[in-house]
Amino acid sequence: PDAAGARDRVRRRLGLPDEVPLLVFFGFVHPVKGVRELIDATALLRDAGVDVHVEVAGGFASLALPGEEARSFRAEVEQRVADRGVGDRVHLTGWVAGAEVSELLSAADAVVLPFTAGVTTKSGSLLAALEPLVPVLATVADERDPALVDGVTVLDVGARRDPRAIAEAV
């Protein structure tokens, strides 16, 4: 899609004011992808007076999380959003078609990938996020991927499985 107009189109569709940062998580939603911690970080940011909107763009069902496991995890994530009181700030899109993902990533103020084992260049989500040249906040793997340089190709999230570290990176 036309990347130049993506920000305006997406914000209009979401009803999102210009001054509210749009954060996007993209990829299969799985327990090891850090979505729980991202939801908790959103609540911490709200409590600190920082307004953000988070689009969690991706399906829950995959080979790694089939059928009932995917439905159960989605229910857990939805409950976490409700328990943290961030339903007005966190939206779970479910599976999203390629053109819509491209537009969403192009419109993002930042892509947040807080994977619990850290991010490497083997991640399709990371590679998709790097394409539109949007800032990518990512956790660091035990063995740092040499292509992921803090402040150059990514912005490091200070710790894995840590909502405060995600909030600080945002």
Side-chain angles (χ1 to χ4, degrees):
D2 168 29
R7 180 177 171 82
D8 291 337
R9 284 191 304 276
V10 168
R11 285 177 172 280
R12 247 190 333 271
R13 187 173 71 238
L14 297 174
L16 191 60
D18 223 22
E19 68 275 3
V20 175
L22 173 59
L23 308 178
V24 175
F25 168 92
F26 167 63
F28 282 111
V29 185
H30 186 280
V32 301
K33 297 290 183 85
V35 172
R36 293 176 183 119
E37 292 81 1
L38 179 55
I39 292 165
D40 292 350
T42 304
L44 290 171
L45 288 164
R46 178 209 52 219
D47 294 348
V50 178
D51 197 7
V52 296
H53 179 86
V54 178
E55 287 286 301
V56 177
F60 283 74
S62 66
L63 290 175
L65 199 68
E68 185 52 40
E69 289 177 73
R71 286 187 290 281
S72 176
F73 185 59
R74 181 174 181 120
E76 176 194 329
V77 169
E78 289 171 343
Q79 187 62 55
R80 190 179 209 102
V81 168
D83 289 348
R84 303 305 186 270
V86 293
D88 60 334
R89 296 163 190 264
V90 176
H91 177 237
L92 308 176
T93 68
W95 182 87
V96 179
E100 187 178 344
V101 168
S102 179
E103 185 166 69
L104 187 59
L105 293 171
S106 294
D109 292 297
V111 174
V112 184
L113 302 175
F115 298 178
T116 61
V119 176
T120 70
T121 52
K122 293 179 183 177
S123 166
S125 297
L126 171 70
L127 298 177
L130 292 174
E131 178 65 25
L133 300 177
V134 174
V136 176
L137 284 61
T139 49
V140 179
D142 285 338
E143 188 173 320
R144 184 178 193 101
D145 190 312
L148 302 180
V149 179
D150 184 30
V152 178
T153 51
V154 295
L155 299 170
D156 286 352
V157 172
R160 291 176 283 177
R161 298 180 186 93
D162 185 344
R164 288 197 187 288
I166 297 167
E168 287 172 11
V170 168

